[in-house]
Amino acid sequence: MAMDTAVVSALPQDIAAEKILVLDFGAQYAQLIARRVREQNVYCEIVRHDITPARIREIAPKGLILSGGPRSVYEKGAPHCDPEIFRLGIPVLGICYGMQLACEVLGGLVDSFPAREFGRARCQITSDDDLLAGLPHETEVWMSHGDQVMRVSDDFRALAATATCPITAVKHKSLPVYGVQFHPEVTHTPQGRQVLANFVRAICGTGGSWQLGDFAEQAIPAIQKRVGDRRVICGLSGGVDSSVVAALLYQAIGPRLSCILVDNGLLRKDEAEAVIREFSGHFHTDLHVVKAEDRFLAALAGVRDPQEKRRRIGRVFIECFADEAAKIEGAEFLAQGTLYPDVIESGAAVDGPAATIKLHHNVGGLPEDLSFQLIEPLRDLFKDEVRRLGAQLGLPEEIVWRHPFPGPGLAVRCLGEVTRDRLARLREADAIVVHEIRAAGLYRQTSQSFAVLLPVQSVGVMGDARTYEDAVAVRSIDSEDFMTADWSRLPFDLLARISTRIINEVKGVNRVVYDISSKPPATIEWE
């Protein structure tokens, strides 16, 4: 039977009594701004750039942050906000594009500048006002702009400058409106957290009362109220997100939770067996295992486009659930481990100007006749918050700190066509990467490490014979929040061991390369 497909979030409204809104103007750093605000123990959400003043009054946030964006404020069709938001009496902080927009709306001039700033710059603090309180007279900031504020109205006061940008930070004299041309949310601005703390805590007057412990305490009864005496199905993949969802639901509804592991043939080596052990032995859940490798491989046959892979995997994933759920009496909800970055990157959070970076199988490709209501208890949390929640719920350390694994599994690490043979090759290479990084004592120090099978063959020599075989890329990154990331500086001897083992032990591979790309401009996953 077809049912309501509305997504149910478990976040109680009263847990976020103090809230900061980030108005999204297309910045890929918008979610990082939200994460930095939450570090101040203040709940933060991303909303559309054109949110109405009436809606803002209804939400009653303590402050507004206008994000950066790729457009020019004077460009036709560029995203704008309602000018009235600057006169609501709510503190406003504009970042980069957001500062330019605020200055233009309130009487200033924004134009392109020949000396585009991208990267680190030395910033001179000319007025240690409340926004920049505690910063040294000279500090390093991260710039990324081609336009800048050329002139402000007499109502503004400049607070800082760089060598090429004389108006780097501003404050309105009568309205609670502030702006910075640099990006305080990125780690490349060492004092950026202080700037955001000054705005969120001192200027907005928040008390920093939002805690993850409160989230769990209030989410559990919220789930109980929403679910009632009905049954919830939770999809297990072995990853952190689905494990935390299962643990949260188990505490909320106990035996009315049925977990389904779809063994899609796209999991890491021995992962299906590990999940069965953990959730049969540790949680004693009602666990159903669906052997669906052939079904997924048939759906992926001949598909090379990464977005199409995700769509097909999402569709078959839901179909498998529907087939198995039909055997479970009273099952009406499908729980998923969707996180806030998943929702944002899929373009489902704000429906604004930000580009859809990729589809996530949790939030993309769902059929219109979905026979479950979706319940996504973590869709308002970031990855590091999910790990902390998992620890609070008593999950074993091995689960809490397991490296993230994409929903579509090895299909998006198997570039090009996905076949049984190519997956087997990738699975073995990936297991070697993880084993060697664990053996070197670097698993907890790195944030995510894995192998990627490339659709590229190269010439090699093995045993005096010419080979023409596959190439494998090794990817290892360090990240605080998985919204920005840098490549891990792994020891050369470790990389040598990984390369030697893969070439010697994985049949069909004769070359290994190491990915030294950061995010941005690259993403963590290759597809």
Side-chain angles (χ1 to χ4, degrees):
M1 61 178 177
M3 299 176 62
D4 177 18
T5 60
V7 173
V8 178
S9 171
L11 182 70
Q13 293 300 311
D14 58 346
I15 201 172
E18 288 188 335
K19 184 180 295 185
I20 301 291
L21 298 183
V22 174
L23 277 63
D24 180 26
F25 290 90
Q28 295 199 6
Y29 289 148
Q31 55 183 301
L32 186 53
I33 298 171
R35 181 64 197 92
R36 293 290 180 249
V37 172
R38 293 191 191 184
E39 289 178 357
Q40 302 299 320
N41 292 328
V42 177
Y43 189 72
C44 186
E45 283 185 358
I46 299 173
V47 297
R48 288 181 58 99
H49 66 284
D50 56 357
I51 184 173
T52 66
R55 178 58 180 149
I56 292 175
R57 291 191 191 95
E58 182 182 342
I59 297 173
K62 302 289 284 187
L64 305 173
I65 299 178
L66 313 185
S67 81
R71 306 287 291 276
S72 295
V73 297
Y74 50 79
E75 180 184 343
K76 183 178 180 181
H80 282 71
C81 60
D82 191 315
E84 189 183 340
I85 71 168
F86 298 109
R87 304 186 183 280
L88 293 175
I90 300 172
V92 178
L93 172 64
I95 295 176
C96 196
Y97 180 97
M99 168 180 158
Q100 295 168 11
L101 180 60
C103 288
E104 184 191 58
V105 168
L106 296 173
L109 174 66
V110 177
D111 205 349
S112 61
F113 192 75
R116 181 177 186 269
E117 280 188 307
F118 182 81
R120 291 178 174 86
R122 299 301 298 177
C123 180
Q124 301 288 332
I125 309 300
T126 57
S127 176
D128 58 348
D129 201 273
D130 44 1
L131 180 66
L132 305 179
L135 270 66
H137 176 67
E138 183 176 290
T139 186
E140 191 173 80
V141 297
W142 182 262
M143 292 286 207
S144 179
H145 66 100
D147 297 335
Q148 64 184 46
V149 177
M150 310 299 289
R151 185 184 70 244
V152 292
S153 72
D154 293 339
D155 294 322
F156 276 98
R157 181 160 57 89
L159 305 177
T162 67
T164 58
C165 184
I167 305 176
T168 299
V170 296
K171 174 186 178 181
H172 197 278
K173 296 177 181 177
S174 60
L175 300 174
V177 177
Y178 301 77
V180 289
Q181 182 61 66
F182 58 88
H183 288 272
E185 71 273 22
V186 301
T187 55
H188 303 310
T189 300
Q191 302 292 326
R193 283 180 169 87
Q194 181 65 50
V195 175
L196 290 173
N198 288 340
F199 178 73
V200 171
R201 300 299 292 274
I203 295 173
C204 295
T206 59
S209 60
W210 187 67
Q211 302 286 344
L212 276 176
D214 298 332
F215 176 92
E217 290 177 7
Q218 297 189 38
I220 287 172
I223 292 171
Q224 292 170 335
K225 181 179 179 180
R226 184 67 186 87
V227 173
D229 60 358
R230 292 167 290 183
R231 182 167 291 274
V232 177
I233 296 173
C234 178
L236 284 177
S237 66
V240 178
D241 307 336
S242 65
S243 299
V244 173
V245 167
L248 185 64
L249 287 166
Y250 188 74
Q251 290 201 15
I253 61 174
R256 283 180 287 111
L257 171 66
S258 293
C259 293
I260 296 179
L261 168 64
V262 177
D263 187 356
N264 56 14
L266 306 174
L267 301 178
R268 289 172 283 201
K269 186 176 182 179
D270 300 328
E271 191 154 43
E273 293 78 4
V275 172
I276 292 170
R277 285 196 305 271
E278 289 165 359
F279 285 89
S280 295
H282 184 78
F283 288 106
H284 306 290
T285 56
D286 176 33
L287 178 62
H288 300 247
V289 180
V290 180
K291 297 291 186 179
E293 179 180 13
D294 293 342
R295 191 168 176 177
F296 277 85
L297 289 179
L300 291 169
V303 177
R304 293 175 176 270
D305 178 73
Q307 297 292 63
E308 184 61 24
K309 287 180 184 178
R310 291 175 181 272
R311 290 187 187 95
R312 294 192 182 201
I313 291 168
R315 187 188 70 242
V316 178
F317 174 79
I318 294 299
E319 289 173 353
C320 289
F321 263 87
D323 292 344
E324 189 64 24
K327 308 170 188 176
I328 302 174
E329 185 177 353
E332 297 187 12
F333 293 89
L334 170 61
Q336 296 190 134
T338 305
L339 305 189
Y340 202 36
D342 298 339
V343 176
I344 295 166
E345 290 190 346
S346 300
V350 297
D351 190 27
T356 297
I357 300 170
K358 57 189 175 183
L359 290 176
H360 293 262
H361 87 288
N362 288 342
V363 291
L366 299 178
E368 293 182 1
D369 60 347
L370 180 66
S371 58
F372 307 101
Q373 294 183 67
L374 288 180
I375 183 166
E376 298 179 326
L378 310 181
R379 68 182 280 117
D380 298 294
L381 301 183
F382 291 93
K383 174 69 74 174
D384 57 323
E385 294 172 327
V386 171
R387 290 192 192 279
R388 286 158 49 203
L389 179 60
Q392 291 176 6
L393 293 171
L395 280 170
E397 184 174 301
E398 180 185 352
I399 296 178
V400 172
W401 290 104
R402 184 172 291 163
H403 281 187
F405 190 56
L410 295 179
V412 292
R413 295 178 179 174
C414 184
L415 275 58
E417 186 174 4
V418 180
T419 67
R420 200 182 307 270
D421 289 344
R422 297 192 78 223
L423 285 170
R425 200 168 300 149
L426 172 58
R427 192 173 286 113
E428 291 301 320
D430 183 74
I432 290 171
V433 171
V434 174
H435 178 271
E436 289 298 333
I437 287 178
R438 283 188 183 276
L442 296 175
Y443 190 77
R444 283 283 297 272
Q445 282 67 47
T446 57
S447 303
Q448 196 167 351
S449 303
F450 55 91
V452 180
L453 184 63
L454 306 180
V456 174
Q457 287 74 46
S458 67
V459 174
V461 178
M462 290 184 178
D464 295 326
R466 178 185 183 275
T467 62
Y468 191 65
E469 295 179 331
D470 289 339
V472 165
V474 175
R475 178 74 156 147
S476 183
I477 59 98
D478 302 327
S479 178
E480 293 182 359
D481 43 47
F482 295 89
M483 292 171 288
T484 61
D486 198 7
W487 57 280
S488 305
R489 271 59 171 181
L490 298 180
F492 287 168
D493 57 348
L494 172 58
L495 291 173
R497 285 197 301 274
I498 290 172
S499 176
T500 299
R501 283 197 61 194
I502 290 175
I503 292 173
N504 287 345
E505 298 176 28
V506 182
K507 186 176 180 181
V509 175
N510 69 355
R511 189 175 301 272
V512 175
V513 299
Y514 189 49
D515 183 349
I516 58 171
S517 308
S518 62
K519 175 187 180 181
T523 54
I524 295 173
E525 298 290 342
W526 278 48
E527 289 191 339

